[in-house]
Amino acid sequence: MEEPPWKKLKLSLERPYKDDNGEPLPELLDITPDGQHIYRPRDDPIEAIGVKLRRVFQERGLDFFEKQKNSRTLPPPQSQNATIQEEDTAESDAQTETSHTMTPEELHKMRMNLLPQLYIAFGEMCQARDLLTLLLSASLPSQPSSLPPAPLAATVVNKPPPILSVRAFDAQLTIGGKDRALRSAADLFKGAAEKIEESRVAGEKYWLDALKIRRGNWGLIPAPLPPGAATGKGADKTSKDFLISFGLEESPAAFRRRAVGRMAAMGGSPSGNALEFPLRQKTRLRVSLTRIGPNGIRHTSHSLLNDSDNGTLDGALAAAQAEVVEQEIFSVLIKEASSLPTASAEVSERLIVIDAGQTTELRFEMVDADSASTTSSKERTDPVCDLIFSALHVLLLRAHSVSKAQRLNKTSIFRSGAAQPPAQPPPLLQPIIDVLQYREFWERVRDEIDRVAAALRLAGVPARVHYDSVADSGETLVKLMQEERTQPVGGEALLRIDNRHTLRLTTSSPSTLTAHLPQATLPIASISQLTQLLVDEISSLLLRRICDIGTERCERVSGTWFVDLLSVRSVGRWQGCVL
């Protein structure tokens, strides 16, 4: 297959040095603005030899040839005796020289003396060689002489005619250089314009985001002055930027300083987010509850951690605020865990373990926010853990409201009387422990009542049980948690026997049980006391029921039935008979 013509084209990578006529190409040095080409001048050999000869006379003097001629003349004749004496002296010197070895210092001195003379001799020989070469080339009739016929005559030099290939090459070189310079300048202006446009768009986005944050009711505070700013008298101390404060108003100063963010610079943050949180720790609070079943198996469940960061500004601020609030809650829990009256606790830097009951263990743990959401979705969750997690936030807000009320009372100038000592804020952990202990206590009471009801049913006595572990509604419970003093949670249990008699029991957190009897109201201090009370009451009810049945059956014989409290039995009498 024949190749295309463009593949047959061959270009030489070597710069051309001769034109089409075989003449050497001049070397281009510069191009003037009006298009004139400036070439490098060629070296004239006659002028170069003249310069070298002129240097000989300048360095050796004008009488150089006379000195050389006199130095080559023979010495005057001397007498025979003098000649003999000189020969003897020379022989003795030669013997002395042959017996003497030169030191390095002497060799160096001799070298320094000989080298300048050798360089001079080398220059003279080169000059003579060039002169002979020039004279021999001029004497040959077949070769044209490069010397002008009259060395001192004037000659007219004309500008050489332009060569098409050289002119095209120079023009291409000039156009290529200018094109490259123009493209570089255009790229520079384009890059600068793009950066200006990006900065303009980033500036508009910066203030639009600021307006969105303000519309979301997030706090904006003036940013501190940059390092090195003038702070003296008369200096401009106006803040040039703002910060975003998303902490709670009554939080300690350490957590308020941590709950500060800022808008990313106009160049954008490395992570690509519009907000930056320099003091964010990215830790979340997780509540875990461990229960031991009747068979001794431990069941552990965790609270569900939801990630509020959905990519928006409000989502990012809400996620950062949740982390700071949970960290504050954990710090309060650490302080209260060491002084629990009804439970024991183990406290470490990021973990709190509390034995809330005989079969209940409560854990508060600070986990990484990045892996908490994915881990909690895979593990077992419990609504009780989520309820505890939410209740801690409500209790923290209650403590903050109490602290704010106390602070406002202190600053009032119309307050009379002596200063009262500051009251302790409401606890966060103790109400949670009370509820867990109440839950376990209620389960034990319910198991005991169920056991008694099952025994009655087994005996053929109708029995029904109604449980209401929390008698209040959800709204009432929330209001109780918002009050300054913590109110207990209560419930009741109703046991109806034989569709006639009712036994009512009321409970209150953490472990208060009260029995409401027809004849009295008795507090119950233990489960064994509850068992004994149920046995006594049920026995009394059954005995009275037996008496009622006996009275109905012995009505025609005028029988009498009653309950003997001492012997705890029913007694029946009719016509001289006793049963």
Side-chain angles (χ1 to χ4, degrees):
M1 183 178 180
E2 186 178 359
E3 296 182 352
W6 60 271
K7 284 192 175 182
K8 296 181 179 179
L9 181 62
K10 296 182 180 180
L11 298 178
S12 177
L13 300 177
E14 184 180 2
R15 181 185 178 92
Y17 57 92
K18 287 186 179 181
D19 57 1
D20 298 337
N21 299 326
E23 297 294 333
L25 298 176
E27 184 178 355
L28 180 66
L29 289 180
D30 195 5
I31 300 176
T32 59
D34 55 354
Q36 184 180 0
H37 296 73
I38 300 175
Y39 300 96
R40 183 185 298 276
R42 296 183 60 188
D43 296 335
D44 190 1
I46 299 176
E47 184 179 355
I49 292 175
V51 171
K52 292 181 180 180
L53 290 176
R54 193 178 301 108
R55 286 182 57 192
V56 170
F57 288 103
Q58 287 178 356
E59 295 175 0
R60 304 303 176 130
L62 299 176
D63 55 349
F64 172 69
F65 291 104
E66 285 78 3
K67 290 180 181 180
Q68 293 293 329
K69 184 177 180 181
N70 295 333
S71 63
R72 294 175 183 174
T73 57
L74 296 175
Q78 296 180 359
S79 59
Q80 186 177 3
N81 296 330
T83 304
I84 296 172
Q85 185 177 2
E86 290 178 358
E87 292 178 358
D88 296 338
T89 305
E91 291 177 0
S92 62
D93 294 340
Q95 293 177 0
T96 304
E97 290 178 358
T98 55
S99 62
H100 176 67
T101 303
M102 298 181 66
T103 61
E105 290 79 6
E106 293 175 351
L107 289 174
H108 178 70
K109 184 177 181 181
M110 183 181 67
R111 179 183 179 186
M112 297 303 294
N113 293 333
L114 293 178
L115 282 178
Q117 299 179 9
L118 292 175
Y119 283 127
I120 293 172
F122 178 72
E124 293 174 354
M125 293 179 66
C126 293
Q127 185 68 24
R129 183 191 61 187
D130 296 339
L131 181 58
L132 290 175
T133 303
L134 182 59
L135 295 175
L136 290 175
S137 62
S139 62
L140 295 177
S142 59
Q143 297 181 356
S145 177
S146 60
L147 293 174
L152 299 179
T155 58
V156 179
V157 179
N158 296 324
K159 180 180 178 180
I163 304 172
L164 296 178
S165 59
V166 176
R167 185 173 62 180
F169 179 80
D170 295 339
Q172 292 176 0
L173 182 63
T174 305
I175 294 173
K178 292 183 178 180
D179 180 70
R180 182 179 180 183
L182 290 175
R183 289 181 183 274
S184 300
D187 293 339
L188 180 62
F189 281 111
K190 183 179 179 181
E194 290 178 353
K195 289 184 179 179
I196 292 174
E197 180 65 19
E198 290 177 0
S199 63
R200 183 190 66 80
V201 174
E204 293 180 356
K205 185 177 181 299
Y206 183 87
W207 293 111
L208 286 176
D209 292 342
L211 293 176
K212 291 180 182 178
I213 292 172
R214 190 66 189 93
R215 193 182 303 117
N217 204 23
W218 297 99
L220 299 181
I221 58 177
L225 296 177
T231 57
K233 185 177 181 180
D236 185 12
K237 300 180 183 179
T238 306
S239 179
K240 302 299 187 296
D241 201 355
F242 60 88
L243 299 177
I244 307 169
S245 177
F246 51 86
L248 300 181
E249 182 181 0
E250 298 298 325
S251 298
F255 293 98
R256 289 201 306 270
R257 286 194 297 267
R258 193 180 301 173
V260 173
R262 61 170 179 262
M263 299 285 294
M266 293 187 180
S269 61
S271 59
N273 298 327
L275 298 177
E276 295 179 353
F277 304 99
L279 301 178
R280 188 174 181 179
Q281 297 182 357
K282 292 187 177 182
T283 54
R284 298 289 304 274
L285 176 64
R286 185 174 67 177
V287 181
S288 303
L289 195 63
T290 302
R291 301 292 302 276
I292 301 177
N295 51 1
I297 300 177
R298 298 171 62 91
H299 301 279
T300 303
S301 57
H302 307 279
S303 60
L304 181 62
L305 299 180
N306 297 322
D307 189 7
S308 303
D309 191 358
N310 54 3
T312 61
L313 297 175
D314 291 340
L317 288 172
Q321 185 186 49
E323 293 177 7
V324 175
V325 171
E326 291 171 11
Q327 292 166 11
E328 181 182 356
I329 291 174
F330 188 77
S331 65
V332 177
L333 294 179
I334 288 178
K335 295 179 183 178
E336 296 183 2
S338 59
S339 58
L340 289 175
T342 58
S344 61
E346 297 179 4
V347 180
S348 62
E349 183 179 2
R350 301 182 64 173
L351 179 64
I352 302 175
V353 181
I354 302 174
D355 294 332
Q358 296 181 358
T359 60
T360 305
E361 181 182 272
L362 181 63
R363 298 166 64 96
F364 299 100
E365 184 179 4
M366 297 300 295
V367 297
D368 294 335
D370 297 334
S371 59
S373 58
T374 57
T375 305
S376 60
S377 60
K378 299 178 181 179
E379 295 178 348
R380 180 182 176 183
T381 58
D382 189 358
V384 177
C385 297
D386 296 335
L387 178 61
I388 295 173
F389 182 80
S390 302
L392 288 174
H393 290 74
V394 177
L395 295 174
L396 179 66
L397 294 178
R398 182 186 67 170
H400 283 184
S401 63
V402 172
S403 300
K404 184 177 180 179
Q406 294 176 358
R407 179 170 53 83
L408 294 178
N409 292 334
K410 288 181 182 179
T411 57
S412 177
I413 61 176
F414 300 103
R415 216 178 94 203
S416 60
Q420 298 179 359
Q424 293 292 332
L428 271 69
L429 186 57
Q430 187 60 44
I432 303 299
I433 300 300
D434 292 344
V435 170
L436 292 178
Q437 291 179 349
Y438 174 72
R439 180 190 181 189
E440 185 173 349
F441 171 72
W442 177 262
E443 290 177 354
R444 294 173 62 188
V445 171
R446 186 181 59 186
D447 293 342
E448 188 66 25
I449 295 176
D450 289 343
R451 188 173 62 84
V452 172
L456 289 174
R457 296 189 190 98
L458 186 62
V461 179
R464 289 185 301 173
V465 184
H466 172 72
Y467 297 109
D468 191 0
S469 58
V470 180
D472 300 325
S473 62
E475 296 179 356
T476 306
L477 289 176
V478 173
K479 291 181 181 179
L480 292 177
M481 296 178 66
Q482 293 177 355
E483 294 180 359
E484 183 175 353
R485 293 185 178 180
T486 304
Q487 300 295 332
V489 179
E492 65 176 1
L494 298 176
L495 177 60
R496 188 167 182 81
I497 305 173
D498 198 19
N499 299 325
R500 301 177 63 183
H501 305 283
T502 302
L503 184 62
R504 179 169 173 262
L505 301 173
T506 59
T507 57
S508 178
S509 63
S511 58
T512 303
L513 179 62
T514 304
H516 299 272
L517 304 177
Q519 62 274 17
T521 301
L522 301 178
I524 299 175
S526 62
I527 298 298
S528 59
Q529 186 179 357
L530 173 63
T531 304
Q532 185 64 37
L533 177 66
L534 292 175
V535 170
D536 294 342
E537 290 297 322
I538 292 173
S539 300
S540 177
L541 293 176
L542 291 178
L543 290 177
R544 286 200 296 270
R545 179 57 179 163
I546 292 173
C547 291
D548 294 340
I549 296 174
T551 301
E552 293 176 359
R553 296 293 179 90
C554 300
E555 184 178 0
R556 289 179 294 178
V557 293
S558 301
T560 304
W561 289 82
F562 61 93
V563 177
D564 188 1
L565 298 178
L566 295 177
S567 59
V568 190
R569 62 182 180 177
S570 298
V571 179
R573 297 177 180 177
W574 66 94
Q575 296 180 357
C577 298
V578 178
L579 178 59

